[in-house]
Amino acid sequence: MTDQTSGAKRPREHHRGPVRLRRAQVESGTTDQRLLDSRGPTDWVHTDPWRVLRIQSEFIEGFGMLAELGPAVSVFGSARTKPDDTMYALAESVGRGLVELGHAVITGGGPGAMEAANKGASKAGGVSVGLGIELPFEQGLNEWVDIGITFRYFFARKTMFVKYSQGYIVMPGGFGTLDELFEAITLAQTQRVTSFPVVLLGTAYWSGLIDWLRETVLADGKIVPADLDRFHLTDDVDEALSHFALR
């Protein structure tokens, strides 16, 4: 085909919906043909457009499962917390106490502190939710999860925690726990969420982090004093629960 203005030969061009392909990027056949033709490789199931549909399905499943959950609080903590650990007993008390306040309890669905919170909620007759994630080291949902879903994508799972929680109680934990903690604080700082209490349970565990935030991050001007008021530190379960009393 020749451009009528310049006389130059225009490159091969193909439109695939809103996408425009030229030169070597032009594919043979049509989208319908590739859909209906059962022969050939199956690499298409691993392409980014197909992943978009999987991501969409995760949001639909999550929204559909949790839309009528009612008031809920997410409890985070280490999967490595042992049943004989003091924090396991505290997490169980937290789960029970939240149910007594009228909340459902949401955790990552794993073992350790998550299991303890789910156990406390379930034994108290409340709604015990587990939002799991596919991991290389398979752990599955703990036995105390009454409503559970396992996600492929962390960001879809994180959206469910924030959207359907009235706040977080954070037990001692590792990178995953820290990730959820700082995401919640960031969302509050940037006003993506409002009225979203974050409670850290365990002063001995969290004090070093808070001291670093105050003495290094704040002192260097990377945050402002009000940012340190975006979370509450305590060892007392009742004090932690007081931030979630339904009005």
Side-chain angles (χ1 to χ4, degrees):
M1 181 182 297
T2 302
D3 189 310
Q4 299 298 321
T5 303
S6 64
K9 188 174 182 180
R10 294 168 64 180
R12 279 204 314 157
E13 186 173 288
H14 175 71
H15 294 268
R16 189 175 65 197
V19 178
R20 178 177 298 181
L21 303 169
R22 286 177 173 167
R23 302 181 183 87
Q25 300 303 315
V26 175
E27 301 170 334
S28 61
T30 65
T31 302
D32 281 343
Q33 179 186 359
R34 288 187 292 275
L35 172 66
L36 298 173
D37 192 344
S38 60
R39 296 168 297 175
T42 58
D43 293 346
W44 61 273
V45 300
H46 304 295
T47 62
D48 286 341
W50 185 250
R51 289 190 181 99
V52 170
L53 295 179
R54 286 192 178 135
I55 292 166
Q56 181 182 8
S57 73
E58 293 211 336
F59 280 105
I60 290 171
E61 289 288 348
F63 292 156
M65 185 180 78
L66 301 175
E68 299 179 354
L69 183 62
V73 174
S74 288
V75 181
F76 297 101
S78 177
R80 296 182 172 91
T81 302
K82 304 299 183 185
D84 59 355
D85 191 312
T86 301
M87 285 298 163
Y88 189 99
L90 284 180
E92 189 172 344
S93 296
V94 164
R96 181 173 61 252
L98 287 171
V99 167
E100 291 171 353
L101 288 174
H103 292 283
V105 172
I106 306 174
T107 78
M114 295 174 281
E115 174 187 280
N118 285 133
K119 180 179 180 180
S122 184
K123 291 182 71 173
V127 181
S128 175
V129 180
L131 305 180
I133 185 74
E134 286 185 359
L135 295 172
F137 38 94
E138 192 65 37
Q139 59 184 19
L141 297 175
N142 68 69
E143 64 176 311
W144 297 101
V145 169
D146 299 321
I147 300 175
I149 184 170
T150 301
F151 292 85
R152 285 188 178 93
Y153 300 99
F154 270 107
F155 53 84
R157 178 180 183 242
K158 285 180 176 182
T159 299
M160 302 305 150
F161 280 125
V162 174
K163 180 172 176 58
Y164 293 105
S165 296
Q166 273 64 58
Y168 290 171
I169 294 180
V170 188
M171 314 292 296
F175 286 143
T177 302
L178 291 170
D179 180 44
E180 299 292 354
L181 167 62
F182 280 107
E183 181 179 50
I185 295 172
T186 301
L187 290 172
Q189 181 195 53
T190 55
Q191 299 181 23
R192 265 48 178 186
V193 294
T194 57
S195 302
F196 197 86
V198 176
V199 178
L200 306 179
L201 196 55
T203 56
Y205 190 85
W206 295 112
S207 290
L209 174 63
I210 295 172
D211 289 343
W212 175 75
L213 289 173
R214 180 181 297 108
E215 296 168 10
T216 301
V217 184
L218 176 62
D220 203 39
K222 301 301 188 291
I223 59 175
V224 299
D227 289 328
L228 295 177
D229 297 327
R230 298 185 187 281
F231 51 84
H232 313 273
L233 177 65
T234 184
D235 284 317
D236 186 80
V237 171
D238 289 336
E239 183 181 343
L241 293 173
S242 69
H243 294 277
F244 302 97
L246 293 173
R247 295 173 177 83

